[in-house]
Amino acid sequence: MKNGNLFIISAPSGTGKTTILKRVIAELKNIVFSVSHTTRSPRLGEEKDVDYFFVDKSTFVTMQEQGLFLEWAEVHGNLYGTCSNTVQAITEQGIDIILDIDVQGARQLMDKLNNKGVFVFISPPSLHELEKRLVNRGTESDSVIATRLNNAHDEMKSLEYYDYVIVNDRVDQAIDELKSIIIAERSRKRRGISGEPLNLDI
Ligand code: ADP
Ligand code: 5GP
């Protein structure tokens, strides 16, 4: 993992992370989304191999036993994991990558990456608003929403371990904040606003 930045983003389910990430990736250059493997079923509107690589449990476990995952975790009753090879292939080209992973996966990478990752937590304005967003999204059953809300309370406790925290109250502002963080981190690595290496003629 030589060049590109690794942004690790976590948020309780329903916070608006996917909404924010899609816009940020569309609006910035040289940054891509890390497509995870999951045993969860696709939601309406989700595209196979774009939103996730949807696999069955035995495929996931075999991959995990073969050591293919940079990190993996069981989240809300399903397995999710990030492939090491994909992350490496992208960052080696000098392209930034965003990992949308849960707090357990992020904690694994905080230990493993030796300060090489930038950790961002996106928080809902309140748990009440989070519930409203999950219900309005309408993609999960009541019992799945209840599990996700229950877990949200615990996930919020991990916020203190992250480098940055963004509250997604107004979505446009949250998008601006995340873009600012990405641009600032590029600058720290002597890269321009579009992620290109600085070419200083001095
Ligand atoms: P996540 O990926 O964190 O689970 P989503 O991006 O799917 O969340 O967003 C959950 C729901 O909340 C969606 O219906 C989305 O349109 C809505 N949403 C996202 N951000 C906001 C916001 N700032 N205010 C109100 N609703 C929002
Ligand atoms: P969802 O089912 O709503 O897409 O995702 C549920 C949770 O799983 C979210 O917190 C999301 O960030 C997390 N997640 C998605 N991909 C991965 C992954 O590869 N690893 C880990 N640890 N969590 C993931």
Side-chain angles (χ1 to χ4, degrees):
M1 285 171 223
K2 276 191 301 204
N3 280 320
N5 283 312
L6 202 54
F7 293 97
I8 295 100
I9 321 274
S10 305
S13 179
T15 298
K17 185 170 31 130
T18 309
T19 309
I20 293 169
L21 295 186
K22 287 200 165 154
R23 285 264 307 272
V24 166
I25 286 172
E27 291 174 22
L28 290 180
K29 289 190 175 144
N30 281 314
I31 189 157
V32 298
F33 178 70
S34 160
V35 181
S36 296
H37 284 71
T38 183
T39 61
R40 153 164 99 58
S41 310
R43 282 187 194 129
L44 197 66
E46 276 183 336
E47 250 183 280
K48 144 178 168 315
D49 304 348
V50 173
D51 294 293
Y52 281 107
F53 296 111
F54 295 99
V55 293
D56 59 25
K57 193 167 175 184
S58 75
T59 305
F60 191 100
V61 170
T62 306
M63 291 178 71
Q64 186 253 317
E65 285 169 356
Q66 289 171 341
L68 299 183
F69 291 125
L70 180 62
E71 63 72 39
W72 69 275
E74 181 170 343
V75 194
H76 316 312
N78 297 300
L79 299 170
Y80 297 83
T82 307
C83 263
S84 309
N85 282 349
T86 316
V87 174
Q88 194 170 347
I90 288 166
T91 52
E92 274 183 1
Q93 297 172 59
I95 295 172
D96 294 344
I97 188 164
I98 294 189
L99 272 56
D100 162 355
I101 65 175
D102 87 310
V103 295
Q104 304 170 76
R107 294 301 297 273
Q108 291 172 39
L109 295 187
M110 286 173 195
D111 291 339
K112 208 167 171 175
L113 289 179
N114 243 334
N115 286 327
K116 283 201 192 106
V118 180
F119 293 83
V120 183
F121 191 95
I122 306 181
S123 168
S126 67
L127 288 177
H128 177 65
E129 172 65 20
L130 183 68
E131 181 172 6
K132 270 175 45 187
R133 289 184 191 173
L134 277 171
V135 170
N136 286 344
R137 187 169 70 187
T139 49
E140 268 86 18
S141 65
D142 288 353
S143 71
V144 171
I145 290 178
T147 307
R148 287 176 178 237
L149 283 173
N150 221 13
N151 293 340
H153 191 252
D154 279 343
E155 288 164 348
M156 292 294 292
K157 292 185 194 147
S158 294
L159 172 158
E160 61 176 302
Y161 301 108
Y162 285 70
D163 299 315
Y164 298 96
V165 177
I166 296 172
V167 178
N168 179 23
D169 190 356
R170 285 183 36 240
V171 73
D172 285 342
Q173 185 177 324
I175 288 165
D176 280 348
E177 283 183 51
L178 184 55
K179 283 166 68 178
S180 306
I181 290 167
I182 292 168
I183 292 167
E185 290 293 333
R186 285 178 168 175
S187 179
R188 194 207 280 273
K189 296 273 181 63
R190 313 295 182 257
R191 288 177 175 272
I193 194 166
S194 304
E196 75 287 2
L198 291 185
N199 189 8
L200 295 172
D201 186 18
I202 47 172

